[in-house]
Amino acid sequence: MAHLLAINVPVKGDLAWSDWAKKTRAKIKSAGVPVSKWQLLYFHMTILFLDDDACAESLTPEFAKLVKSCPALLLTIDKIDAFTTTNGAKHIIYLSSTNVPEQILTLAKDARTLADGLNADYDKRPFKPHITFGEIPADQMPLEELQTILRSLEQPAFNCLIEEAEHRYRRSKGTIKQWKLRSK
């Protein structure tokens, strides 16, 4: 996928989060989980993956309209789990909320409607609200074993005020446009 619309999850400056993340990575490693990549810097929830560079310029102002109507919101991160990517190559360790705010679900639905209206090529898999924490080659550990390990870990709740969204190129190649969400 070439680029994405995402909401930024501001956890990296939170000392309690940093301490929990460091300890959790160590526990996962000591349990023998062969993590190939940790998400360390850019924590975000992808709203829409796009594989259509030709439409990036026309999508940015349309995304702006969607995002500006979305209020800043509180997201409680209180869940750690894993799933396997569609191609079966890797397992994704992810963080999420047991109660995803309706605004996030609406933003994802509206972004897909917008992309459809512009005939953009995007990832049409159902929206799965999550924040990637790490990746594991799927051939190195069964998903069920990984999930058992993750579900045994302490998972405190972290409250994050979601105030920013951005249209960016995938794999840290840069931001196309960034927006502040509307204050309540």
Side-chain angles (χ1 to χ4, degrees), residues 49-179:
F49 278 120
L50 295 129
D51 196 17
D52 194 344
D53 284 335
C55 74
E57 193 173 309
S58 60
L59 278 173
T60 299
E62 298 302 319
F63 283 157
K65 291 176 191 173
L66 289 180
V67 170
K68 287 180 180 180
S69 68
C70 184
L73 54 104
L74 189 66
L75 174 67
T76 301
I77 300 169
D78 60 357
K79 179 179 173 182
I80 187 168
D81 206 342
F83 64 85
T84 304
T85 56
T86 303
N87 66 8
K90 52 188 167 177
H91 303 310
I92 304 296
I93 298 174
Y94 72 91
L95 306 170
S96 191
S97 176
T98 53
N99 294 305
V100 177
E102 189 62 37
Q103 298 95 323
I104 291 174
L105 302 174
T106 299
L107 184 60
K109 181 178 126 302
D110 291 348
R112 282 159 176 71
T113 300
L114 171 66
D116 284 335
L118 294 171
N119 293 316
D121 184 15
Y122 68 95
D123 185 341
K124 293 181 173 59
R125 289 177 290 177
F127 177 59
K128 182 177 181 75
H130 71 280
I131 302 153
T132 299
F133 191 64
E135 299 177 1
I136 298 146
D139 62 354
Q140 294 189 17
M141 176 175 267
L143 178 62
E144 297 75 21
E145 182 181 347
L146 173 60
Q147 288 174 322
T148 299
I149 291 166
L150 295 175
R151 291 172 184 160
S152 73
L153 300 174
E154 177 188 349
Q155 176 60 55
F158 293 97
N159 293 313
C160 304
L161 183 60
I162 306 297
E163 299 180 287
E164 292 181 347
E166 66 181 336
H167 185 189
R168 67 178 290 119
Y169 288 104
R170 191 166 182 218
R171 302 278 182 221
S172 302
K173 291 183 180 163
T175 298
I176 297 170
K177 184 73 176 171
Q178 192 169 32
W179 304 276

